[in-house]
Structure formats: C-alpha cells, structure tokens
Amino acid sequence: MPEYRLQTPITKEDIKKLKIGDTVSLTGTIFMARDAAHKRMVELLENNKPLPVELKGEVIFYAGPCPPKPGQVIGPVAPTTAFRMDPYAPAMYEYGVVGTIGKGPRRDMVKDACKKHGAVSFAAIGGLSTILSRRVKAVQVVAYEDLGPEAIRRLEVQDFPLLVAYDSNGDDLYQQEIAKYENFNQKTNKGAV
Amino acid sequence: MRIVDAEVLTESVAKLCWEACYYLPDDVLAGFKRAEKTEASPIGKSILQQLMENAEEAKTNHMPYCHDTGMAVVFVEIGQDVHIIGGNYLDCIQEGVRTGYREGYLRKSVVGDPLLRVNTGDNTPAVVHTEIVPGDQIKITVLPKGGGSENMSAMKFLLPGEGVEGVKNFVLQTIKDAGGKACPPVVVGVGIGGSFDKVTSLAKHAVLREIGVHHPDPHIAELEKELLEAINNTGIGPQGLGGTSTALWVPIETFACHITALPVAVNIQCHAARKKTIVI
C-alpha cells in the first residue's frame, strides 16, 4: 500500500490520489471538533452564518483530549467514533472541509459526500492516545471554550499517522477488509484463533 | 463491628480512578499478546502492536492509556459488620471521583442533564453500585467506562423458546452492528436472565471478570467459547479494519428469571478494558 507524507493544507490533487488503505503521515495544522461543536457549526451553516473558525480546505479531527499535565503540550488524545458525526459531515464537506479523522465505520451519507465533494475520511487508531499525543506540537482553543473537552482546538501536528478509510471514489476500507476475514479460519483451515 | 473513616473511602476511590486509567490490567495485556500472535490481518496485527506500545508508554509516563477516561462506574461491596463514620457514604465516593479525575489529569466527560448537556466539569456524578455482603471489609472497584463501546451495548427480551440459539444470534448481531465503532478488540460482557434491570447489571458485572476465566457452569463456559469463536469469525477485527481478533473474551453471567422471559444484555467493553480494585 502506498505511503504518503502530506503537509497541510492538503490540495485537491493530493486528495484525488489518495485511495483506501493508503497510509498518510500528516504534518501541519488540523482542527479538533466533535459532537457539540458540530451541532453548533451545522446550525450556523444552515442559517448561512459564518463559522467561528475558517475551515475551508482544512482537516477536522474528531476528538477531545485529556487535560495536559504540567509541561505537556496536550493530554492523551485519539479519535472518537466518527459515526456520531455522520449527520453533520455532508454539510461540513459541502462547506469545504477536505478531510476528517475519526475511528470506526461511517454511513453511506459520508461515502457519498466524499465522492461528491472530492474529500476523504481518515481513520486513526481509537485509544492510541498516549502515542498520538506526542505527535501534537502545539494546541490552541479557538472557539466554543465553554464546551471544555469539546471546544474547537487548532493543532499543529507532525507525522500524524492516518489510514485512508473512505476516499473520493466512494470506496470503503472497512467493508473491503472485513470481507477478507469473515470466517477466515474455515476458509484457510487454520484452526481456531 | 469495624469502623472505617469516610475519608479512607474518598482517598481510595481517587487513587483507583487514575490508576485504572494509567495502567492497563495484566489480563488485558496478555489478551493483546495472544491476539497479536494469531491475528491474520496485517493491519490488525499492526494495530495490536501499537496498542501494546501505547499501554507501555502510558504505564511508563503515568498517563491515561486512552483519552476517554470514561464515566466512572464504582462497585462497592460493604461488609455488614462495617460502620462508616465521618461523612455521608455516597458523598465520599463522589468526592473520590472528583479528586481522582482532577489530580489524575483525566478527561471530564460527564454532562449533568442528558438533554441540556452541560459538562459538570469534574466527571461526577459517578454511577455507584452498592452491595451489602457478609464480613467486615469494603471492596471497591472502579471501572472507567468509555462512551464508544457503552453506546453499542444492547438489551432484548427473547421468547423462552428461542433458547441458546436466540441468545447467540442476539449477541452476534449486537457485535456486528457495533463493528469498529466499539473500538475492538473488545470484551463482550453478556447477561442472561433476571429482570429488565438485573440483566444489564449482569452484563456490566461480567465485564469485570478477568480475561481467561470461564463461568463455573460447564454449559455457560461452553457458550462463552462458542461465542468467542463466532465473534472472531465475523471478520470485524481490531478497530473494525478487518481481522480475526474482534473479541478478547466473552464473559457471561446468569440469573434466574420469570417463566415468560429470556432477557439478554450485551455490555461491550472497548480495548481500554480498565478496572482497578482495592479491599479496605
């Protein structure tokens, strides 16, 4: 599988070449937002109002960190379940977000939106929080501070490890990989795991 | 009668909260190791290796293994010969959670009203299960329960005639519906029997059982083995990205039930299968 080192902002050309299963090492600026922030932002978009942060061409990381210990840039952090952001994702992609980072499978509405708007949905490993927090070099709360762990944060990341889960062709890594291992032991006669 | 100061409860709960979040139990680490050896998917294998590295880093640096340090579920068994003095029992438990989450730099993931959804800022209230047992000791277990896997849990009343096949189908369907959303490899806590409230409690208690330990009843132990194999044949794999290690263990707890009923509950525990116990 191809491995890419990408720098933000990710260009439309870069997005097009990304295929499911590709690994991406991402460096640059990403924005952290999850449930409560998405609810507010999509309400703004529906009312043709500006977002509190410019997110056109940006990547959103669905996550909420632990508080940092003294001397840490950020506390442990890893993606939350992307599925919960599915109802908001099409509006965000339409607005101009080029990528999202979450964990777990997503609904067809997200696949369709990625295809329609030339965007991707990345997977990072859920719960890999100690390791991933080391890839974050700077963090700043930029909106909705009242939401605590759910506030929107701007992150500077270095070599943040991602997998392309849904690409701009509408392909689905979860579906493809699970099918390979269904009843795997019977298929290969390797015995019980 | 033994006298225990309420402050001891507070201090113990506080320590259990951050210890549970920093140090993944040995049975879970052993489960990762076994899964990594047999995992057929290269992506799955790599994920399991990274989770083991993450656990090691969390332990060395005294940091939470996962950022979702959960809603605290506290199980307390109080010996009937114990007298708690110096404070209200429940207040002390909640104060312990408040202190543990603050001093441990754990994430505050609790909203006070489920519809108004304002973060309480201190991760309280915790869910507290109290049982009075014989003896003069107090046993406290803290289970910091992450949201992703809890959200995918389910309960159903089957018809009695659906029997063991019905139970298997329901558990398997719950795991398939959860897929990667529950952060596999998971521990699948199953409750069978009891009432509407009891069966979910059984499933939750099942999650506390050590990985590798089967139910003492042979027919239930057999069902645990069958379900583990069936779940690992779904293909879901680590993180739902395909593979042969979807579950690390399937502990089942049972209870008597009404002649009309066959309740089943599935409480899914993500790979951050944290739990910590102290006996006072």
Side-chain angles (χ1 to χ4, degrees):
Chain A
M1 285 295 179
E3 292 178 28
Y4 295 104
R5 294 177 69 88
L6 294 180
Q7 180 87 37
T8 64
I10 308 178
T11 63
K12 282 281 175 190
E13 289 67 45
D14 280 335
I15 293 285
K16 262 185 203 145
K17 75 181 180 199
L18 295 177
K19 303 286 175 249
I20 56 167
D22 292 352
T23 59
V24 172
S25 181
L26 188 66
T27 297
T29 307
I30 61 174
F31 289 85
M32 190 187 279
R34 43 174 295 154
D35 306 62
H38 272 82
K39 188 169 192 294
R40 289 186 189 180
M41 286 195 288
V42 169
E43 275 167 16
L44 290 174
L45 290 176
E46 282 168 357
N47 292 306
N48 292 314
K49 288 186 178 157
L51 298 187
V53 197
E54 174 68 46
L55 293 175
K56 283 199 168 79
E58 304 290 354
V59 174
I60 296 182
F61 179 23
Y62 301 144
C66 284
K69 281 188 175 179
Q72 287 178 341
V73 172
I74 195 169
V77 66
T80 194
T81 313
F83 172 85
R84 287 198 320 277
M85 263 52 74
D86 286 359
Y88 309 116
M92 296 302 289
Y93 284 126
E94 187 182 357
Y95 158 81
V97 167
V98 297
T100 57
I101 303 168
K103 71 167 168 86
R106 312 196 66 173
R107 283 169 267 188
D108 286 345
M109 64 210 289
V110 176
K111 284 187 225 178
D112 297 344
C114 284
K115 199 173 172 181
K116 188 172 171 193
H117 303 294
V120 294
S121 175
F122 294 108
I125 299 177
L128 198 71
S129 308
T130 305
I131 287 179
L132 290 181
S133 69
R134 294 182 186 283
R135 308 295 175 96
V136 179
K137 300 301 169 189
V139 59
Q140 190 186 0
V141 173
V142 288
Y144 303 150
E145 196 168 358
D146 62 299
L147 294 179
E150 296 202 72
I152 302 181
R153 290 169 167 82
R154 185 172 57 226
L155 270 56
E156 298 303 323
V157 297
Q158 196 174 351
D159 301 321
F160 202 81
L162 304 171
L163 258 180
V164 179
Y166 300 93
D167 60 25
S168 57
N169 293 323
D171 290 329
D172 178 339
L173 181 67
Y174 290 93
Q175 222 168 40
Q176 173 188 293
E177 293 300 310
I178 289 172
K180 287 184 196 169
Y181 299 99
E182 195 178 351
N183 295 320
F184 184 80
N185 298 307
Q186 284 96 316
K187 276 184 210 162
T188 57
N189 205 16
K190 276 190 176 168
V193 172
Chain B
M1 192 179 65
R2 182 171 162 228
I3 289 174
V4 174
D5 201 304
E7 210 170 282
V8 175
L9 296 185
T10 302
E11 283 166 10
S12 303
V13 169
K15 196 164 171 236
L16 289 174
C17 287
W18 55 259
E19 280 186 347
C21 290
Y22 295 176
Y23 317 121
L24 218 52
D26 289 342
D27 62 320
V28 180
L29 295 172
F32 284 170
K33 217 173 213 175
R34 277 195 301 272
E36 194 269 333
K37 268 190 195 143
T38 54
E39 178 53 60
S41 151
I43 296 177
K45 215 177 181 63
S46 158
I47 289 169
L48 289 163
Q49 286 162 355
Q50 292 181 67
L51 293 181
M52 289 191 278
E53 276 173 43
N54 191 56
E56 191 57 42
E57 272 208 33
K59 185 179 161 188
T60 309
N61 298 305
H62 314 290
M63 281 165 75
Y65 167 82
C66 176
H67 62 278
D68 184 354
T69 50
M71 184 171 199
V73 184
V74 186
F75 300 87
V76 191
E77 291 177 17
I78 304 178
Q80 65 186 34
D81 298 329
V82 174
H83 181 204
I84 298 165
I85 58 157
N88 177 320
Y89 157 68
L90 275 177
D91 290 349
C92 296
I93 302 289
Q94 299 294 358
E95 185 53 33
V97 170
R98 193 173 289 124
T99 307
Y101 274 71
R102 186 184 61 242
E103 293 184 352
Y105 293 88
L106 309 181
R107 197 180 73 177
K108 321 303 181 289
S109 313
V110 174
V111 291
D113 179 293
L115 297 177
L116 302 177
R117 306 199 73 80
V118 178
N119 198 304
T120 61
D122 61 8
N123 222 57
T124 67
V127 175
V128 184
H129 298 280
T130 308
E131 220 177 315
I132 307 291
V133 298
D136 64 356
Q137 293 182 324
I138 301 177
K139 183 180 172 190
I140 309 175
T141 300
V142 171
L143 172 71
K145 193 67 176 68
S149 57
E150 190 78 354
N151 273 344
M152 296 297 136
S153 301
M155 184 271 173
K156 193 180 181 187
F157 276 99
L158 304 179
L159 299 178
E162 291 181 78
V164 70
E165 284 309 310
V167 170
K168 277 193 227 170
N169 290 339
F170 177 67
V171 174
L172 215 50
Q173 194 54 52
T174 303
I175 296 304
K176 284 180 182 171
D177 292 345
K181 297 192 283 289
C183 241
V186 293
V187 173
V188 185
V190 180
I192 310 173
S195 49
F196 180 73
D197 49 330
K198 180 70 180 176
V199 74
T200 52
S201 171
L202 289 172
K204 179 72 80 192
H205 275 87
V207 162
L208 296 178
R209 197 194 309 156
E210 198 174 312
I211 292 172
V213 176
H214 276 296
H215 193 278
D217 291 348
H219 74 289
I220 300 298
E222 193 52 40
L223 181 57
E224 290 174 341
K225 286 177 198 164
E226 283 178 33
L227 274 171
L228 181 62
E229 195 180 329
I231 289 168
N232 285 334
N233 272 328
T234 57
I236 293 167
Q239 293 289 301
L241 284 161
T244 50
S245 20
T246 305
L248 298 173
W249 203 242
V250 187
I252 301 175
E253 295 294 340
T254 63
F255 197 79
C257 62
H258 194 274
I259 49 175
T260 59
L262 178 52
V264 189
V266 180
N267 189 223
I268 307 179
Q269 169 63 60
C270 63
H271 64 72
R274 304 156 291 194
K275 52 189 182 269
K276 186 83 187 170
T277 300
I278 191 173
V279 177
I280 299 166

